[in-house]
Amino acid sequence: MAAASSLHVAAPAATPRVGSVAHKSASSAARSVRVARSGAVARSGGRLVACAAVATKADAPATDAASKSEGHEVLLFEALREGLMEEMEADPTVCVFGEDVGHYGGSYKVTKGLADKYGDLRVLDTPIAENSFTGMGVGAGMKGLRPVVEGMNMGFLLLAYNQISNNCGMLHYTSGGQFKIPLVIRGPGGVGRQLGAEHSQRLESYFQSIPGLQMVACSTPYNAKGLMKAAIRSENPVVLFEHVLLYNLKEKIPDEEYVCCLEEAEMVRPGEHVTILTYSRMRYHVMQAAKTLVNKGYDPEVIDIRSLKPFDLHTIGNSIKKTHRVLIVEECMRTGGIGASLRSAIIDNFWDYLDAPIMCLSSQDVPTPYAATLEDATVVQPAQIVAAVEQICQ
Amino acid sequence: MAAWLSSELARRAARRIAGELRRRGPGPWFPSSSTVPVLGPTAGYHRGFCSVRRFAGDTAAATATAEDSDNEFAAGELQQVVDFPGGKLSFVGEMNFVPESQRERIKCYRVLDDDGGIIYSSRFQEVSKELALKMYSSMVTLQIMDTIFYEAQRQGRISFYLTSNGEEAINIASAAALSADDIVLPQYREPGVLLWRGFTLQEFANQLFGNKMDYGKGRQMPIHYGSNRLNYFTVSSPIATQLPQAVGAAYSLKMDKKDACAITYFGDGGTSEGDFHAALNFAAVTEAPVIFFCRNNGWAISTPTTEQFRSDGIVTRGQAYGIRSIRVDGNDTLAVYSAVHAAREMAITEGRPILIEAMTYRVGHHSTSDDSTKYRLADEIEHWRTARDPVSRYRKWVQGNSWWCDAEETELRNSVRQEILQAIQVAERIPKHGLAELFTDVYDQVPSNLREQQRSLLDTINKHPSDYPTDVPV
């Protein structure tokens, strides 16, 4: 799959696509943009090296970067900002709503500098009322703006659940397609470092049922920027999950413009013995476990599923057909998490290709405790991943 | 000694309070100290907003001074200034609790009296004969439409309906004062606004029957109308969610510098929702050109306003958010028209939100799922339905101007009735959408997982055709 040179790239028929990355509002001209293809990673020419659990730099770019130029190093939160800024520059209807996003620059600095550049009207500091500024985003979206709503912490967006489920997800459908809501809802979530239970929520669990929403989770500076841009351009409401512990990841990303595909999974490490499906921070725990596994003689294939709704069953399926063994590693809680749904989807679609029961490693079904030792025990650690692979591959 | 002191204080306090009562009339009472009992009722007596009640310390001397002083603003006030985040404040040495309510309720703006005559002192926005008649005939149309569609539900032809009986003036007059570019975010009792803008009776009927011609493609319950073309956002059932959305829509207009505002409607019950609070707060802070129109019709299903809030209705809350507000007689067509006209002007030229509380009465049941005689008196309903009917009241004014007559009335009512009955018949016969439309518009394009579900469904239907209705296209 060669990297496409035009924005209007024809998608391979089998790859599921909800929205078209090629769709653009009339106001902007077609630009030459490469759409990153996860499949191209294997042919990038460089051997992929596993990344550390919480990497401060990547040894090699995780995706195809046949760049013509040097590229530049960014931290993940800067990559998000770059993506946001590029879209705001190109499309005057893109705006940002959230608490402390304006002059404070956002609690994780993703929106730093934007208010100075684009003004208070386009980067709006809101009072503390998540349901309301999300509702405001819905109304503005229905009227033609493309708001990016920031939850200071994803957990706070539980207060916005009414607007997200009953309105954001529904109004395109219930209005018979008359009103669209091209909203992006983003923010940091996941289990951090001793932030306490209320600041350690995994909202992808709660949102995954809502019809009408798309969900993606970024994990590297490269895919963070690409997914941010794709989410903003999508005509559907997209929830972009960032992780509190990944904001300072450093990676070299291309200088030229690129967009990632919202519905695509990312091949992190090709392998033969077992398919490990993961996303967000757990990707790094998996890659750390992979180092150990390689030393023990295993060859895991690691896929960062990235698209949480819908699942990229094409990429996942191809992997399962090769390895016949699946391990899901997620940060959601055991009950009702992404892993539970993914397992179900795999059983429905690829039952015949499985040589072993699907294993799923999830967080404990407990509110995340504060104490560091307890907190570590609630999420999946690399040692558990190693043990699980050993068990699956018996 | 202590016991004597406290009973002496009680006697002095009682004398003081009695003296106050004689001199100044009733007012809210405050405990002068923990040893002196709080005396007198607080309900029903109101002082002005800035009333000052002396806090008497628990020394006899202080009590005596309090008793003797005439002047409300006594020497205790130093008129000095202190600054805090938010600005400078004067401070006083005495505790003054702002009363829970004002002495008088906020007055209601009214133009027409009950007999359809202009109240002599009222000032209002003039309307042309053409506009006046268009408003009147729309109110009649709305009234008849409600009656017939309600009956249709009772006959089992549609599954659900709710009427705007008693709120015709609110519906039509507010719509008439807006421009076509103003964005309307309704609750659900404002079909008249859509009617005014040109939604036809056939289009209403199509939505009620959820047929192929329904713009919502049969996805929503009856009365959940929506029209992008007419700038009327699709109704969504949860209460008050449209309020912050209106702020967003208004914000979008402000960014585009459009000569238009957003208007959003909600009932007295909706003001208890958190979204009401936050939307008003947001609108004020973001200086969004939005009109918050509250239809205070006295009932939220079975909850009367006395159980909904303890404030003087909704209009008093505006100031709490820094929003200019007005209370109007919602059954007075000209008053509603004038108020919305003025509000729109201010919202757009000054870039500010406006709150309008329209007092009215919900004559009909909450919906076809409700029987309001269970919680309110039939006499009360009848009184509002007849003596306080906004349509006949406005008709008296229109006829008083010799712009309308009985013959035209009969003709209008007959023709509207015929048109609606015809629309129902037509709508009933138009087929519903096939199952293909079950999966579209969830996203902009149908994704693979939904295509899969669709295939699976069709597969099941093909395998077991006898289990599925034959008249539903796939």
Short mmCIF file of all heavy atoms in Angstrom, two decimals, chain B residues 292-330:
data_model
loop_
_atom_site.label_atom_id
_atom_site.label_comp_id
_atom_site.label_asym_id
_atom_site.label_seq_id
_atom_site.Cartn_x
_atom_site.Cartn_y
_atom_site.Cartn_z
N PHE B 292 -33.95 33.72 26.01
CA PHE B 292 -34.45 32.58 26.79
C PHE B 292 -35.93 32.85 27.06
O PHE B 292 -36.27 33.77 27.79
CB PHE B 292 -33.69 32.46 28.11
CG PHE B 292 -32.26 32.03 27.96
CD1 PHE B 292 -31.23 32.95 28.11
CD2 PHE B 292 -31.94 30.72 27.66
CE1 PHE B 292 -29.90 32.56 27.96
CE2 PHE B 292 -30.61 30.32 27.51
CZ PHE B 292 -29.60 31.25 27.66
N PHE B 293 -36.78 32.05 26.45
CA PHE B 293 -38.22 32.30 26.56
C PHE B 293 -38.84 31.22 27.43
O PHE B 293 -38.97 30.07 27.01
CB PHE B 293 -38.85 32.30 25.16
CG PHE B 293 -40.22 32.89 25.12
CD1 PHE B 293 -40.44 34.14 24.55
CD2 PHE B 293 -41.30 32.21 25.66
CE1 PHE B 293 -41.72 34.70 24.51
CE2 PHE B 293 -42.57 32.76 25.65
CZ PHE B 293 -42.78 34.01 25.06
N CYS B 294 -39.26 31.61 28.62
CA CYS B 294 -39.85 30.63 29.54
C CYS B 294 -41.37 30.70 29.46
O CYS B 294 -41.95 31.76 29.68
CB CYS B 294 -39.40 30.90 30.96
SG CYS B 294 -40.18 29.79 32.15
N ARG B 295 -42.00 29.60 29.16
CA ARG B 295 -43.47 29.54 29.17
C ARG B 295 -43.86 29.05 30.57
O ARG B 295 -43.92 27.86 30.82
CB ARG B 295 -43.97 28.53 28.13
CG ARG B 295 -43.63 28.83 26.70
CD ARG B 295 -44.11 27.70 25.77
NE ARG B 295 -43.33 26.48 25.96
CZ ARG B 295 -43.67 25.46 26.71
NH1 ARG B 295 -44.83 25.46 27.38
NH2 ARG B 295 -42.89 24.41 26.84
N ASN B 296 -44.14 29.99 31.43
CA ASN B 296 -44.55 29.59 32.78
C ASN B 296 -46.03 29.30 32.76
O ASN B 296 -46.86 30.20 32.93
CB ASN B 296 -44.21 30.69 33.79
CG ASN B 296 -44.53 30.27 35.22
OD1 ASN B 296 -45.22 29.27 35.44
ND2 ASN B 296 -44.04 31.02 36.19
N ASN B 297 -46.37 28.04 32.52
CA ASN B 297 -47.79 27.71 32.38
C ASN B 297 -48.36 27.04 33.62
O ASN B 297 -49.43 26.45 33.58
CB ASN B 297 -48.02 26.84 31.13
CG ASN B 297 -47.31 25.50 31.20
OD1 ASN B 297 -46.94 25.02 32.26
ND2 ASN B 297 -47.12 24.89 30.03
N GLY B 298 -47.62 27.11 34.71
CA GLY B 298 -48.16 26.68 36.00
C GLY B 298 -47.99 25.21 36.34
O GLY B 298 -48.12 24.86 37.51
N TRP B 299 -47.68 24.39 35.36
CA TRP B 299 -47.65 22.94 35.61
C TRP B 299 -46.52 22.26 34.86
O TRP B 299 -46.30 22.52 33.68
CB TRP B 299 -48.98 22.31 35.17
CG TRP B 299 -50.13 22.80 35.97
CD1 TRP B 299 -50.94 23.87 35.69
CD2 TRP B 299 -50.60 22.29 37.22
NE1 TRP B 299 -51.87 24.04 36.67
CE2 TRP B 299 -51.68 23.08 37.62
CE3 TRP B 299 -50.19 21.23 38.04
CZ2 TRP B 299 -52.38 22.86 38.82
CZ3 TRP B 299 -50.88 21.00 39.22
CH2 TRP B 299 -51.96 21.81 39.60
N ALA B 300 -45.86 21.34 35.56
CA ALA B 300 -44.88 20.47 34.92
C ALA B 300 -45.43 19.07 35.12
O ALA B 300 -45.21 18.45 36.16
CB ALA B 300 -43.51 20.62 35.57
N ILE B 301 -46.16 18.60 34.14
CA ILE B 301 -47.05 17.44 34.29
C ILE B 301 -47.92 17.70 35.52
O ILE B 301 -48.77 18.59 35.48
CB ILE B 301 -46.31 16.09 34.32
CG1 ILE B 301 -45.34 15.95 33.13
CG2 ILE B 301 -47.33 14.93 34.30
CD1 ILE B 301 -44.74 14.57 32.94
N SER B 302 -47.67 17.01 36.61
CA SER B 302 -48.56 17.22 37.76
C SER B 302 -47.95 18.12 38.82
O SER B 302 -48.57 18.35 39.86
CB SER B 302 -48.89 15.87 38.40
OG SER B 302 -47.71 15.35 38.98
N THR B 303 -46.75 18.63 38.57
CA THR B 303 -46.08 19.45 39.58
C THR B 303 -46.43 20.91 39.37
O THR B 303 -46.07 21.51 38.36
CB THR B 303 -44.55 19.27 39.47
OG1 THR B 303 -44.25 17.88 39.52
CG2 THR B 303 -43.85 19.98 40.62
N PRO B 304 -47.14 21.50 40.33
CA PRO B 304 -47.44 22.93 40.18
C PRO B 304 -46.20 23.75 40.50
O PRO B 304 -45.27 23.26 41.15
CB PRO B 304 -48.53 23.15 41.24
CG PRO B 304 -48.28 22.11 42.28
CD PRO B 304 -47.64 20.94 41.59
N THR B 305 -46.23 25.02 40.07
CA THR B 305 -45.03 25.84 40.27
C THR B 305 -44.70 26.02 41.74
O THR B 305 -43.54 26.21 42.10
CB THR B 305 -45.17 27.21 39.59
OG1 THR B 305 -46.43 27.77 39.97
CG2 THR B 305 -45.11 27.08 38.08
N THR B 306 -45.71 25.94 42.61
CA THR B 306 -45.41 26.09 44.04
C THR B 306 -44.49 24.98 44.54
O THR B 306 -43.80 25.15 45.54
CB THR B 306 -46.69 26.05 44.89
OG1 THR B 306 -47.49 24.93 44.46
CG2 THR B 306 -47.48 27.33 44.74
N GLU B 307 -44.49 23.87 43.84
CA GLU B 307 -43.58 22.79 44.22
C GLU B 307 -42.33 22.74 43.34
O GLU B 307 -41.46 21.90 43.56
CB GLU B 307 -44.30 21.43 44.12
CG GLU B 307 -45.29 21.23 45.25
CD GLU B 307 -46.18 20.00 45.03
OE1 GLU B 307 -45.72 19.04 44.38
OE2 GLU B 307 -47.33 20.04 45.52
N GLN B 308 -42.28 23.62 42.38
CA GLN B 308 -41.15 23.58 41.45
C GLN B 308 -40.02 24.49 41.92
O GLN B 308 -38.86 24.18 41.75
CB GLN B 308 -41.62 24.01 40.06
CG GLN B 308 -40.65 23.74 38.94
CD GLN B 308 -40.48 22.27 38.64
OE1 GLN B 308 -39.43 21.70 38.88
NE2 GLN B 308 -41.53 21.65 38.11
N PHE B 309 -40.39 25.62 42.45
CA PHE B 309 -39.38 26.57 42.93
C PHE B 309 -40.01 27.47 43.99
O PHE B 309 -41.22 27.51 44.15
CB PHE B 309 -38.84 27.43 41.79
CG PHE B 309 -39.87 27.89 40.79
CD1 PHE B 309 -40.82 28.86 41.11
CD2 PHE B 309 -39.89 27.36 39.51
CE1 PHE B 309 -41.78 29.27 40.19
CE2 PHE B 309 -40.83 27.77 38.58
CZ PHE B 309 -41.78 28.71 38.91
N ARG B 310 -39.16 28.19 44.70
CA ARG B 310 -39.65 29.11 45.72
C ARG B 310 -39.35 30.56 45.36
O ARG B 310 -39.58 31.45 46.17
CB ARG B 310 -39.04 28.78 47.08
CG ARG B 310 -39.63 27.57 47.71
CD ARG B 310 -41.10 27.80 48.08
NE ARG B 310 -41.88 26.60 47.96
CZ ARG B 310 -42.02 25.71 48.92
NH1 ARG B 310 -41.40 25.88 50.08
NH2 ARG B 310 -42.75 24.64 48.74
N SER B 311 -38.79 30.77 44.19
CA SER B 311 -38.50 32.14 43.79
C SER B 311 -39.77 32.77 43.23
O SER B 311 -40.76 32.08 42.99
CB SER B 311 -37.42 32.14 42.72
OG SER B 311 -37.78 31.26 41.66
N ASP B 312 -39.73 34.04 42.99
CA ASP B 312 -40.85 34.72 42.35
C ASP B 312 -40.77 34.39 40.86
O ASP B 312 -40.33 35.18 40.04
CB ASP B 312 -40.75 36.24 42.57
CG ASP B 312 -41.78 37.00 41.73
OD1 ASP B 312 -42.77 36.39 41.29
OD2 ASP B 312 -41.55 38.21 41.50
N GLY B 313 -41.19 33.17 40.53
CA GLY B 313 -41.16 32.76 39.14
C GLY B 313 -39.75 32.72 38.58
O GLY B 313 -38.77 32.53 39.31
N ILE B 314 -39.66 32.90 37.28
CA ILE B 314 -38.37 32.74 36.60
C ILE B 314 -37.69 34.09 36.37
O ILE B 314 -36.47 34.18 36.34
CB ILE B 314 -38.60 32.08 35.21
CG1 ILE B 314 -39.54 30.88 35.34
CG2 ILE B 314 -37.30 31.68 34.58
CD1 ILE B 314 -39.16 29.89 36.38
N VAL B 315 -38.50 35.12 36.23
CA VAL B 315 -37.92 36.41 35.85
C VAL B 315 -36.90 36.92 36.86
O VAL B 315 -35.89 37.51 36.48
CB VAL B 315 -39.04 37.45 35.58
CG1 VAL B 315 -39.84 37.71 36.85
CG2 VAL B 315 -38.48 38.72 35.01
N THR B 316 -37.12 36.61 38.13
CA THR B 316 -36.17 37.09 39.14
C THR B 316 -34.81 36.46 39.00
O THR B 316 -33.82 36.99 39.50
CB THR B 316 -36.63 36.73 40.57
OG1 THR B 316 -37.08 35.39 40.57
CG2 THR B 316 -37.68 37.65 41.08
N ARG B 317 -34.75 35.32 38.38
CA ARG B 317 -33.46 34.63 38.31
C ARG B 317 -32.51 35.28 37.31
O ARG B 317 -31.31 35.09 37.37
CB ARG B 317 -33.66 33.18 37.92
CG ARG B 317 -34.56 32.47 38.89
CD ARG B 317 -34.53 31.01 38.62
NE ARG B 317 -35.69 30.37 39.20
CZ ARG B 317 -36.01 29.11 38.97
NH1 ARG B 317 -35.25 28.37 38.20
NH2 ARG B 317 -37.07 28.59 39.53
N GLY B 318 -33.10 36.00 36.37
CA GLY B 318 -32.25 36.59 35.34
C GLY B 318 -31.14 37.44 35.93
O GLY B 318 -29.97 37.32 35.56
N GLN B 319 -31.53 38.27 36.88
CA GLN B 319 -30.55 39.18 37.45
C GLN B 319 -29.43 38.42 38.15
O GLN B 319 -28.30 38.87 38.19
CB GLN B 319 -31.25 40.13 38.43
CG GLN B 319 -30.38 41.30 38.83
CD GLN B 319 -31.15 42.30 39.64
OE1 GLN B 319 -31.72 41.99 40.66
NE2 GLN B 319 -31.16 43.53 39.17
N ALA B 320 -29.76 37.28 38.70
CA ALA B 320 -28.72 36.49 39.38
C ALA B 320 -27.60 36.11 38.43
O ALA B 320 -26.46 35.91 38.85
CB ALA B 320 -29.34 35.22 39.97
N TYR B 321 -27.92 36.02 37.14
CA TYR B 321 -26.90 35.68 36.16
C TYR B 321 -26.37 36.89 35.42
O TYR B 321 -25.51 36.76 34.55
CB TYR B 321 -27.47 34.67 35.14
CG TYR B 321 -27.86 33.37 35.78
CD1 TYR B 321 -29.19 33.06 36.01
CD2 TYR B 321 -26.88 32.48 36.20
CE1 TYR B 321 -29.54 31.88 36.63
CE2 TYR B 321 -27.23 31.29 36.82
CZ TYR B 321 -28.56 31.00 37.04
OH TYR B 321 -28.91 29.83 37.66
N GLY B 322 -26.94 38.04 35.75
CA GLY B 322 -26.54 39.22 35.02
C GLY B 322 -27.26 39.35 33.69
O GLY B 322 -26.70 39.84 32.71
N ILE B 323 -28.50 38.86 33.66
CA ILE B 323 -29.26 38.89 32.41
C ILE B 323 -30.48 39.79 32.57
O ILE B 323 -31.23 39.69 33.54
CB ILE B 323 -29.71 37.48 32.02
CG1 ILE B 323 -28.49 36.61 31.68
CG2 ILE B 323 -30.67 37.50 30.84
CD1 ILE B 323 -28.83 35.20 31.28
N ARG B 324 -30.67 40.63 31.58
CA ARG B 324 -31.84 41.51 31.55
C ARG B 324 -33.09 40.67 31.33
O ARG B 324 -33.11 39.80 30.47
CB ARG B 324 -31.66 42.49 30.39
CG ARG B 324 -32.44 43.76 30.48
CD ARG B 324 -32.02 44.70 29.37
NE ARG B 324 -30.72 45.29 29.61
CZ ARG B 324 -30.06 46.03 28.72
NH1 ARG B 324 -30.58 46.24 27.53
NH2 ARG B 324 -28.89 46.53 29.01
N SER B 325 -34.13 40.94 32.12
CA SER B 325 -35.30 40.05 32.08
C SER B 325 -36.60 40.82 32.11
O SER B 325 -36.64 41.95 32.58
CB SER B 325 -35.30 39.13 33.31
OG SER B 325 -34.00 38.82 33.70
N ILE B 326 -37.65 40.17 31.63
CA ILE B 326 -38.97 40.79 31.69
C ILE B 326 -40.03 39.70 31.89
O ILE B 326 -39.85 38.56 31.47
CB ILE B 326 -39.27 41.61 30.41
CG1 ILE B 326 -40.55 42.42 30.59
CG2 ILE B 326 -39.41 40.68 29.19
CD1 ILE B 326 -40.80 43.45 29.50
N ARG B 327 -41.07 40.09 32.55
CA ARG B 327 -42.21 39.19 32.72
C ARG B 327 -43.35 39.73 31.87
O ARG B 327 -43.64 40.94 31.93
CB ARG B 327 -42.62 39.13 34.19
CG ARG B 327 -43.96 38.48 34.48
CD ARG B 327 -44.20 38.40 35.97
NE ARG B 327 -43.58 37.21 36.53
CZ ARG B 327 -43.20 37.07 37.81
NH1 ARG B 327 -43.37 38.07 38.65
NH2 ARG B 327 -42.67 35.95 38.23
N VAL B 328 -43.98 38.90 31.08
CA VAL B 328 -45.09 39.38 30.25
C VAL B 328 -46.31 38.49 30.45
O VAL B 328 -46.21 37.35 30.89
CB VAL B 328 -44.74 39.42 28.74
CG1 VAL B 328 -43.40 40.05 28.50
CG2 VAL B 328 -44.79 38.06 28.11
N ASP B 329 -47.45 39.06 30.09
CA ASP B 329 -48.68 38.27 30.08
C ASP B 329 -48.62 37.41 28.84
O ASP B 329 -48.77 37.89 27.72
CB ASP B 329 -49.89 39.23 30.06
CG ASP B 329 -51.22 38.51 29.95
OD1 ASP B 329 -51.23 37.29 29.67
OD2 ASP B 329 -52.25 39.16 30.15
N GLY B 330 -48.39 36.13 29.00
CA GLY B 330 -48.21 35.24 27.87
C GLY B 330 -49.47 34.99 27.07
O GLY B 330 -49.41 34.45 25.97
#
